[in-house]
């Protein structure tokens, strides 16, 4: 009998959710844009679901923009709640857009820290840098949920060398906490402001959480080859006399960092499987000799371009974008503790070597 009574009493505190809120008690936020406000404050724009559209007969969900200000992100959220009948719910937010001014003056941690501490926020939302004068501008085009549109389009090409690699809130937060590597976030701008058409515009480079530079769209694919596994993307080889176009099938990079007591050495090895999709007549018949020559020339070209991009990131921007610091920290924690305080200066003077091994295993001649 006592056991039955105890079980019955336990049903009371274990049933239901104490913090449950229905749709009628909250305002759903789809995206967030952060700009510089007045007197050093943050100007935060929320793309929120128009609750009236939920109850209308229209099939499409509608959103509107709510702008607030605060000296901190949390203060801006509270200011937004004060303007609404229902408090904002951030659990559906898919993207956070930062202006270049905020990224440079405040840095990433001022935004990622409060978001990571909020139990409602998804760790998988992505961070974007606005290529326009403000972050809010990217949320202004009407007729679609812009936050969802941005997220879907950027994430769709994450395995291709010809697209930007999105970084999630969790990934950025972990890199900032580790403080061993730089961060590269996709930059988005309008290609046609009248139609609201958007395009990727390279990567924004961060060192110790602060914006320090920009990597152009032409250099981004070579950075991605050194940074992440790929299964897509196209590269053109052109020496002035003959040209070839190769498509990436698989690309697997490996990096290493070593220190000899005076100088840092950064090594990159990239194994690439590719298909030759276009060859100029100067190559002749696509026999074994031509394929081996194409593999040799592609390997040399990609090695040189990757090396040039990494050296630019290191020396001009002080950004360890490929993650050599993280690699060294994982392999030799004691050495990392010794070098971490001078890593920024070491990476600027590091000796970089890159070797690409390209295998062309498809010339498109056998159907």
């Amino acid at each position: 009998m006592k056991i039955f009574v105890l079980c019955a009493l336990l049903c009371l505190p274990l049933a239901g959710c104490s913090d449950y809120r229905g749709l009628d008690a909250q305002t759903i936020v789809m995206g967030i844009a952060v700009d510089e406000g007045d007197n050093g404050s943050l100007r935060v724009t929320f793309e929120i679901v128009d609750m009236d559209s939920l109850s209308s007969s229209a099939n499409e969900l509608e959103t509107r923009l709510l702008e607030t200000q605060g000296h901190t992100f949390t203060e801006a959220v509270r200011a937004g709640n004060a303007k609404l009948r229902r408090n904002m719910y951030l659990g559906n937010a898919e993207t956070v857009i930062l202006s270049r001014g905020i990224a440079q003056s405040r840095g990433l941690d001022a935004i990622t820290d409060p978001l990571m501490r909020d139990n409602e926020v998804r760790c998988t939302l992505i961070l974007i840098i606005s290529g326009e004068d403000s972050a809010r501008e990217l949320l202004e085009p009407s007729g679609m949920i812009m936050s969802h549109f941005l997220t879907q389009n950027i994430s769709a090409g994450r395995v291709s060398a010809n697209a930007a690699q999105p970084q999630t809130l969790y990934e950025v937060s972990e890199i900032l906490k580790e403080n061993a590597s730089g961060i590269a976030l996709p930059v988005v701008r309008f290609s046609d402001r009248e139609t609201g058409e958007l395009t990727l515009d390279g990567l924004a480079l961060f060192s110790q959480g602060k914006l320090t530079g920009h990597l152009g769209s032409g250099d981004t694919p070579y950075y991605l080859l050194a940074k992440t596994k790929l299964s897509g993307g196209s590269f053109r080889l052109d020496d002035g006399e003959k040209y070839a176009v190769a498509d990436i099938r698989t690309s697997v990079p490996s990096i290493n960092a070593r220190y000899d007591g005076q100088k840092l050495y950064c090594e990159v090895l990239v194994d690439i499987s590719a298909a030759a999709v276009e060859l100029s007549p100067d190559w002749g018949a696509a026999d074994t000799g031509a394929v081996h020559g194409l593999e040799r020339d592609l390997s040399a070209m990609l090695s040189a371009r990757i090396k040039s991009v990494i050296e630019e990131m290191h020396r001009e921007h002080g950004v360890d974008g490929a993650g050599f610091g993280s690699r060294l920290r994982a392999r030799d924690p004691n050495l990392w503790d010794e070098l971490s305080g001078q890593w920024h200066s070491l990476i600027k003077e590091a000796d970089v070597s890159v070797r690409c091994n390209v295998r062309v295993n498809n010339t498109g001649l056998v159907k």
Side-chain angles (χ1 to χ4, degrees):
M1 185 64 180
K2 290 182 179 179
I3 295 176
F4 176 79
V5 172
L6 288 174
C7 290
L9 292 174
L10 284 173
C11 289
L12 296 176
L14 295 179
C17 301
S18 60
D19 60 349
Y20 172 77
R21 288 184 293 162
L23 286 176
D24 59 339
Q26 55 192 338
T27 299
I28 299 174
V29 176
M30 300 300 296
I32 304 167
V34 185
D35 292 293
E36 294 179 291
D38 302 328
N39 302 319
S41 65
L42 297 177
R43 179 164 58 90
V44 184
T45 304
F46 301 93
E47 184 180 28
I48 62 177
V49 174
D50 187 342
M51 301 305 289
D52 292 334
S53 69
L54 292 176
S55 58
S56 68
S57 58
N59 293 325
E60 294 186 1
L61 200 64
E62 297 179 2
T63 61
R64 61 186 179 88
L65 302 183
L66 172 69
E67 184 179 297
T68 68
Q69 290 202 47
H71 287 93
T72 65
F73 182 80
T74 302
E75 189 176 309
V77 173
R78 290 173 178 168
N81 286 333
K83 295 182 178 182
L84 299 166
R85 291 183 292 113
R86 313 174 184 91
N87 284 350
M88 287 185 287
Y89 173 68
L90 304 180
N92 275 82
E94 297 186 38
T95 183
V96 175
I97 308 168
L98 305 179
S99 69
R100 286 171 293 191
I102 281 294
Q104 191 167 19
S105 62
R106 291 286 190 109
L108 296 173
D109 196 58
I111 309 302
T112 60
D113 181 72
L115 288 172
M116 283 296 295
R117 294 177 188 277
D118 191 322
N119 292 330
E120 293 181 344
V121 174
R122 297 179 184 179
C123 294
T124 55
L125 64 77
I126 65 172
L127 278 71
I128 297 172
I129 304 301
S130 173
E132 300 297 330
D133 293 335
S134 71
R136 177 194 168 104
E137 291 176 63
L138 297 186
L139 294 179
E140 288 179 345
S142 59
M144 66 181 74
I145 303 175
M146 287 304 299
S147 301
H148 180 72
F149 177 76
L150 283 166
T151 304
Q152 293 300 308
N153 278 269
I154 291 178
S155 299
R158 67 181 309 151
V159 296
S160 171
N162 300 119
Q165 298 290 308
Q167 295 266 46
T168 66
L169 172 63
Y170 175 78
E171 291 169 335
V172 171
S173 179
E174 286 298 297
I175 295 173
L176 291 173
K177 186 189 303 180
E178 183 184 82
N179 197 28
S181 299
I183 297 171
L185 297 180
V187 178
V188 179
R189 62 172 176 80
F190 287 111
S191 57
D192 189 329
R193 186 177 289 273
E194 291 185 3
T195 62
E197 185 177 339
L198 298 167
T199 186
L200 292 169
D201 189 22
L203 300 170
L205 304 178
F206 292 81
S207 178
Q208 298 178 321
K210 294 289 184 71
L211 179 65
T212 61
H214 180 264
L215 192 66
S217 298
D219 290 331
T220 298
Y222 302 100
Y223 158 74
L224 296 178
L225 281 173
K227 174 66 176 176
T228 187
K229 293 181 180 180
L230 302 172
S231 58
S234 180
F235 291 90
R236 176 185 171 92
L237 171 68
D238 191 343
D239 63 4
E241 297 180 359
K242 56 187 178 182
Y243 69 87
V245 178
D247 280 357
I248 298 286
R249 285 186 158 187
T250 61
S251 173
V252 182
S254 61
I255 64 171
N256 187 41
R258 56 187 179 86
Y259 183 66
D260 66 359
Q262 294 182 328
K263 193 173 184 64
L264 178 68
Y265 295 87
C266 298
E267 301 163 349
V268 180
L269 172 64
V270 189
D271 285 318
I272 299 172
S273 171
V277 296
E278 187 175 349
L279 294 172
S280 65
D282 305 276
W283 286 95
D287 55 13
T288 302
V291 171
H292 286 169
L294 178 60
E295 291 174 336
R296 182 189 62 246
D297 292 349
L298 277 172
S299 297
M301 184 272 288
L302 292 176
S303 297
R305 291 298 302 270
I306 293 172
K307 176 180 168 69
S308 175
V309 168
I310 291 177
E311 287 182 337
E312 178 187 345
M313 295 175 73
H314 286 183
R315 295 173 185 175
E316 294 186 22
H317 308 297
V319 174
D320 175 14
F324 296 106
S326 294
R327 176 63 178 159
L328 183 63
R329 181 176 181 266
R331 195 187 73 243
D332 194 338
N334 293 329
L335 179 59
W336 171 253
D337 290 340
E338 178 186 334
L339 299 180
S340 59
Q342 53 180 325
W343 188 252
H344 186 72
S345 59
L346 284 173
I347 203 68
K348 282 194 169 186
E349 303 298 328
D351 183 275
V352 177
S353 62
V354 179
R355 181 163 60 93
C356 289
N357 295 326
V358 178
R359 300 180 305 280
V360 176
N361 51 24
N362 186 351
T363 59
L365 296 180
V366 178
K367 298 296 184 183

